[in-house]
Amino acid sequence: MAFHKHFITISNVVLFTSFFLSLFAPKSYSSKIFASAASYFSDKDLLEFPLNLEYLEAEFFLFGSLGYGLDIASPDLAQGGPSPIGGRLAQLDPLTKDIILQFGLQEVGHLRAIKSTVKGFPRPLLNISSQVFATIMNKAFGRPLNPPFDPYANSINYLLVTYVIPYVGLTGYVGANPMLQNTTSKQLVAGLLGVESGQDAVTRALLYERKHELVAPYAITVAEFTDRISKLRDRLGNAGLKEDEGLVVPKDEGSEGKVSGNVLSANTNSLSYGRTPQQILRIVYGTGSESIPGGFYPEGAHGRIAQSYNNLHP
């Protein structure tokens, strides 16, 4: 099919580009936004924190492609943590299912890689139900979508919620890199960042080819969905900075001010954005506060970093 041929070409270009972004982006993030966190958290803390996101991605992608998660696929990595809420098999076309399964298995590898370097912690309670994603979409549009958005209903819906997740992890790794002290930690994060950026690039490429398509039954384009999701993440992150962009932007905000297409989200020098752990928690909790759990983590994220913020509001 034409879509598959075009996708293979564009994804190769995007993945190649994302690889180089992952190599060069960290050099641009030694600014004061990360300074206080760098002095407070150890490498161990900074390596354990992303386990929260890796658990989320692993469960979401495995359930979406296989209909089950870590409890069957790799129970040792869950370490007895509670089973996720609401995960189920998505109705995906063969190409999308193949890609999402690969993503899920990649996340299993990420969990193993991190836990082979630091002790880690059991899987936190995760909510990957249709309801939590519907709430995210309602917040993104500032009104309830009717019918409620169901990420598991079809491929385009699933890809749109996939757009929500890996990019958050990508920006977290970019943000963590300058705070790390030893070479082993930096090497691990560089490897994780390379694959997370690849997942985000593949997702954006798939959606970019369909950017003008109307998402049924809402009569809203794919591009507008991505724009609304990106703006929501920026609002929730609450850093006063633009660190997120949809698939189409004003021309003066595109690469070198020459294009409105935005297959990769990046700053004016085409370097990846970075986020602090506080910003990550504000987004994945869906509350805009690092100390008020919710969203994907109804009981809060785990690890010293997340718990230090949860303790602000016992």
Side-chain angles (χ1 to χ4, degrees):
M1 293 175 63
F3 168 72
H4 291 186
K5 292 179 181 177
H6 290 314
F7 167 69
I8 291 169
T9 301
I10 195 170
S11 63
N12 286 342
V13 174
V14 171
L15 278 170
F16 188 71
T17 305
S18 68
F19 169 75
F20 281 98
L21 279 175
S22 72
L23 292 178
F24 294 113
K27 297 180 182 178
S28 68
Y29 289 100
S30 56
S31 64
K32 59 186 178 182
I33 192 170
F34 302 113
S36 59
S39 63
Y40 184 66
F41 297 124
S42 68
D43 277 21
K44 175 179 178 292
D45 299 330
L46 293 166
L47 292 178
E48 285 190 332
F49 178 74
L51 280 172
N52 290 292
L53 291 173
E54 300 290 357
Y55 275 126
L56 173 63
E57 294 175 39
E59 295 291 2
F60 178 63
F61 294 141
L62 290 173
F63 267 102
S65 59
L66 297 174
Y68 57 82
L70 289 173
D71 287 337
I72 294 176
S74 193
D76 58 311
L77 291 175
Q79 290 183 239
S83 298
I85 300 168
R88 60 185 172 90
L89 183 67
Q91 301 303 305
L92 305 177
D93 65 74
L95 174 64
T96 305
K97 182 174 183 177
D98 180 24
I99 291 169
I100 296 303
L101 175 57
Q102 291 181 51
F103 284 3
L105 296 175
Q106 289 160 8
E107 300 306 333
V108 172
H110 288 182
L111 288 167
R112 186 182 302 108
I114 295 172
K115 290 186 175 199
S116 68
T117 305
V118 293
K119 182 179 179 181
F121 46 75
R123 174 182 56 200
L125 179 64
L126 300 169
N127 188 344
I128 53 173
S129 66
S130 298
Q131 290 75 21
V132 78
F133 286 106
T135 299
I136 290 170
M137 292 304 184
N138 290 346
K139 287 182 178 180
F141 283 92
R143 59 181 174 84
L145 295 184
N146 187 27
F149 191 89
D150 181 0
Y152 299 104
N154 54 58
S155 292
I156 196 67
N157 284 19
Y158 195 88
L159 287 170
L160 284 168
V161 294
T162 298
Y163 178 92
V164 173
I165 301 174
Y167 182 73
V168 178
L170 184 165
T171 58
Y173 284 131
V174 173
N177 201 300
M179 295 190 279
L180 296 169
Q181 299 302 309
N182 70 64
T183 302
T184 300
S185 301
K186 292 179 179 180
Q187 185 176 28
L188 174 60
V189 166
L192 294 164
L193 173 58
V195 174
E196 292 291 330
S197 63
Q199 291 177 352
D200 181 64
V202 169
T203 302
R204 291 179 74 102
L206 281 166
L207 291 170
Y208 187 78
E209 189 158 16
R210 304 171 72 173
K211 61 184 180 294
H212 298 306
E213 182 177 318
L214 294 176
V215 179
Y218 309 107
I220 299 169
T221 66
V222 167
E224 185 173 353
F225 264 94
T226 64
D227 181 62
R228 296 292 188 121
I229 293 166
S230 287
K231 287 179 177 176
L232 175 64
R233 287 187 299 214
D234 263 346
R235 289 199 306 273
L236 291 173
N238 195 27
L241 301 169
K242 183 176 181 181
E243 298 172 330
D244 219 314
E245 299 168 329
L247 296 175
V248 178
V249 296
K251 189 173 180 179
D252 62 345
E253 295 181 14
S255 297
E256 299 301 302
K258 297 182 185 299
V259 291
S260 60
N262 196 48
V263 75
L264 292 178
S265 180
N267 69 14
T268 54
N269 291 319
S270 290
L271 300 178
S272 294
Y273 296 105
R275 285 188 169 112
T276 64
Q278 297 99 310
Q279 293 170 285
I280 298 295
L281 290 172
R282 294 168 192 165
I283 293 167
V284 298
Y285 286 172
T287 63
S289 171
E290 62 270 34
S291 59
I292 303 177
F296 298 121
Y297 301 88
E299 296 180 354
H302 287 186
R304 180 170 175 257
I305 292 178
Q307 292 301 315
S308 71
Y309 297 121
N310 287 349
N311 291 338
L312 295 176
H313 289 270

